[in-house]
Amino acid sequence: MSNNNNSKSKSAISLQESWASNLSDYILLRRQQTHVAYDAADAKTNDESKKVGKSEGSDLFTALFVILAAHLEEGHTVLTIDAADHEAPMQGQINGEEVTLYAWQQQLLEILATPIFALIDTQIKTQIDTQTDDDTTMEVSLFVLLDTLFAQREYLWAQLVLSNHEKETLIKRFDAITLLYQRLKNSDLSTFVHLIHEHTLFANINTNNDDNNYKNSLSKNNQPIVYSITESEKAKKSIITFWLHRTWQAEFNLAQHINHILSQQIVPLDIVVPENLNDQQIAAINVANNNAFSIITGGPGTGKTYTVAQLVIALQQATESRGDESEHIKFSTDSASLALAAPTGKAAQRMQESLQAALDDANVDLQLQEAKTIHRLLGIGRTGRPRYDAKNPLGENIIIVDEASMLGVELANYLVSAVKPGARLILLGDANQLAAVDAGAVLADLCHIPLLQPIHAELTESRRFSAESGIGKLATQINKAETNLQAIWQLLRQDDALNFQYVNTLQAESILNNQLKNSLSKEKIILKVSNNYQSYINKIKYLLESLVEKSMPESVKNTISSLMDVFNQFRILTAGHSGEWGDHYINNYLTQWHLTELELPLGQNTWFHGRPVMVLQNNYELGLFNGDIGFCLQTSDERNQLEVFFENKTQGIAVNLLNEEVIATAYAMTIHKSQGSEFDHVAITFDNSHARLLSKELVYTAVTRAKKQVTIYSTKHALEKAVQTPTERHTGLALQF
């Protein structure tokens, strides 16, 4: 293992997980101080006060807190333990003693130890190779991993180049693993449950299970971990679910608010259903029209936005302006009763464009108000707290949220709590897309909750992708529960809209038949990909000769809109940031290509004429939001006079006002960042190094960003792994209904 890889791994554990260990230490310290302050007996001697905080179960609290934090980083809101009474334990030797561990105990140890196993992967594999054979099971391998870790700790540590902080972090994690192992070995579930029940930092929601006042009071009890124990008589097992308190509160409140909205009585709108709607769309209109809360899901081109447009028309229609002599319907421009929102600025913009197009198709004269990000709609600023909530709700009568698959549980909770009594909330989205970057899988969860089935309408008939569309067929194949690899490869070989390009020359000729194009080197591939941006480069060259008219706002807006149209003809979507096929490397390569094409100085400045950029973080002062795309353009004959222009804005922003740390070059972007966008041609890049990130939802999301053409640059192994790996988010939202 190279020092480079070590460094990356250490950074991951230090930055993403050490906060949980530090926070649990702080909680235990405060607990100790409280005991000392209020218990005179404990305060008499230093020796006695030292014992407080090392009390029974503190090590268990630390371990579970760190495990839950690691789960949260991966998008899970809960940790679930399935412990069957009839389960046979595994036996093995660790640290020179025979040990018995049940599957649930191994699960906890494995989650806690995974970061260290990943750090010393090469060394541990060497140890395993000398101790095990090919028939070793996954359960036994954990015994071997732990035995190697405990026995070779100092040797393994010595193989890593560690800073003092990194070493301290690893030692704390190792100590947590050791204490949890000592706690669990040769133990049983009843002992584990007893420890949790007795610990003052764990809150049991099974107590007074139906008392919502009790549940709401949990926030006042200073118990950082919430748990629930249910018994499955059919499977004869106990199911224990753990939450970090804040996450549990968000799921609990979200369910309560949704139930409250559902209980609201609303008056159906008078809707004239267009003849061109299919039965699914008509059903979706009826669901949204007759319920205060509704969910409409469907893939690209299934008409979600067009369907919802019928509600907008009915809401906005001014009946007094109708005239029998006119075929053109005029509507009031008072759209204060309608809010359009999406998780990102780009998704909000696309939603408004689609809805406006649907209104135009219906011959409706109505200019919609600007669609907003959910953060902006709710007034979430630097503090992270919303201005609008249950006590100060939004004023709109209909709130339509697109790309709802991107909603994490906390943002969803803020959203539903701000809906005023009697208003409609409509969620639109594709439940097959990637789950939110934040913890939770709200849309997918809501679609599978039995209570909510009557208010969920699913659209499956796509108008963008016909029955003969290669992109549509590929998306369908990827979505199938049982992946048909042969059908996927056949599509990639035979459909003109699809192309697969090997990124590994050694595999190129031996795996698939000669209908697939020969593999090229990485440099040749990226150079070939660069040519897809030639139209954009030509446009940029023109704007270097004919500078943008800063003094003419409408001209600026039209210029940027035209430039965006050209830029959106093609986009590179990557699985992740790192590696040769990550967006960082590709953007660096294309930057040098861009500078060469325009004969600009190489490598002197991060800002240059024509640089496409993406905003990575909301900037409320400048009115920029996560996902916004802009273009750096020269605004005078001097090369250093550069401003960044964003779509639908009439003024540029000086480059020195933009923090380079929250701006990225946007020739290539991650698939996560592409959600809510559409491009004519999409190039998708990933290889075996992205294995941890790959899933069928990732590939499906990338493929469905394209309208006309998809090219996949990958290895056979990586693509097959991706389409056979469904994302599994562990959440507790369904338990709250």
Side-chain angles (χ1 to χ4, degrees), residues 113-260:
T114 290
I116 290 186
F117 290 159
L119 256 179
I120 51 184
D121 181 61
T122 301
Q123 293 92 332
I124 283 189
K125 279 182 178 175
T126 302
Q127 297 287 337
I128 293 173
D129 289 341
T130 62
Q131 299 176 43
T132 65
D133 55 37
D134 292 339
D135 294 324
T136 303
T137 64
M138 286 184 65
E139 288 80 4
V140 174
S141 69
L142 178 65
F143 284 82
V144 177
L145 286 167
L146 289 173
D147 185 54
T148 305
L149 183 59
F150 290 144
Q152 304 287 333
R153 171 185 174 180
E154 296 304 324
Y155 168 75
L156 294 171
W157 259 222
Q159 304 306 303
L160 303 170
V161 180
L162 300 170
S163 69
N164 289 336
H165 172 69
E166 290 164 344
K167 187 173 183 179
E168 180 184 345
T169 300
L170 289 178
I171 289 173
K172 285 178 71 174
R173 177 59 65 91
F174 180 86
D175 290 343
I177 296 166
T178 304
L179 289 170
L180 181 63
Y181 164 71
Q182 295 293 340
R183 173 76 65 188
L184 296 179
K185 70 175 183 178
N186 304 322
S187 183
D188 58 21
L189 184 64
S190 60
T191 303
F192 177 74
V193 170
H194 176 74
L195 281 172
I196 294 167
H197 278 321
E198 294 299 312
H199 204 292
T200 57
L201 294 178
F202 290 77
N204 181 7
I205 62 172
N206 294 107
T207 308
N208 300 320
N209 196 39
D210 296 324
D211 187 351
N212 284 335
N213 289 326
Y214 163 75
K215 291 183 177 181
N216 278 319
S217 72
L218 282 179
S219 59
K220 302 173 184 176
N221 294 345
N222 298 319
Q223 293 169 298
I225 297 179
V226 176
Y227 71 98
S228 169
I229 301 177
T230 56
E231 304 295 334
S232 172
E233 294 184 8
K234 186 176 181 181
K236 295 183 179 179
K237 65 179 179 180
S238 299
I239 300 173
I240 311 175
T241 306
F242 293 95
W243 292 259
L244 287 177
H245 179 271
R246 177 170 174 168
T247 311
W248 174 84
Q249 194 76 57
E251 289 189 335
F252 172 77
N253 289 345
L254 176 57
Q256 292 297 304
H257 289 308
I258 288 175
N259 282 325
H260 177 69

Side-chain angles (χ1 to χ4, degrees), residues 544-615:
L544 198 55
E545 299 167 359
S546 179
L547 300 176
V548 62
E549 296 284 351
K550 288 176 56 179
S551 60
M552 301 174 63
E554 200 59 35
S555 174
V556 170
K557 189 174 180 180
N558 292 337
T559 297
I560 301 308
S561 178
S562 173
L563 187 58
M564 184 68 75
D565 288 343
V566 174
F567 188 59
N568 282 345
Q569 289 173 2
F570 178 75
R571 196 61 47 86
I572 302 169
L573 306 181
T574 69
H577 296 302
S578 61
E580 295 179 341
W581 300 102
D583 65 328
H584 288 171
Y585 179 90
I586 294 174
N587 277 322
N588 287 337
Y589 184 97
L590 289 177
T591 293
Q592 298 306 307
W593 171 78
H594 177 122
L595 295 173
T596 302
E597 288 286 309
L598 267 68
E599 299 180 353
L600 297 173
L602 297 176
Q604 291 186 3
N605 199 328
T606 54
W607 291 103
F608 51 86
H609 176 72
R611 180 192 179 193
V613 297
M614 182 195 312
V615 177

Side-chain angles (χ1 to χ4, degrees), residues 700-718:
Y700 171 83
T701 300
V703 166
T704 54
R705 297 311 89 204
K707 294 188 285 187
K708 297 179 180 178
Q709 191 172 353
V710 170
T711 306
I712 300 175
Y713 296 90
S714 181
T715 64
K716 177 178 185 290
H717 172 78

Side-chain angles (χ1 to χ4, degrees), residues 15 54 130 158 196 251 317 355 394 445 449 459 475 528 535 543 579 598 662 680:
L15 296 176
K54 293 293 183 184
T130 62
I196 294 167
E251 289 189 335
Q317 187 168 353
L355 197 51
L394 295 164
D445 284 346
I449 292 171
L459 307 178
K528 183 180 177 182
S535 296
L543 289 176
L598 267 68
V662 294
D680 291 346

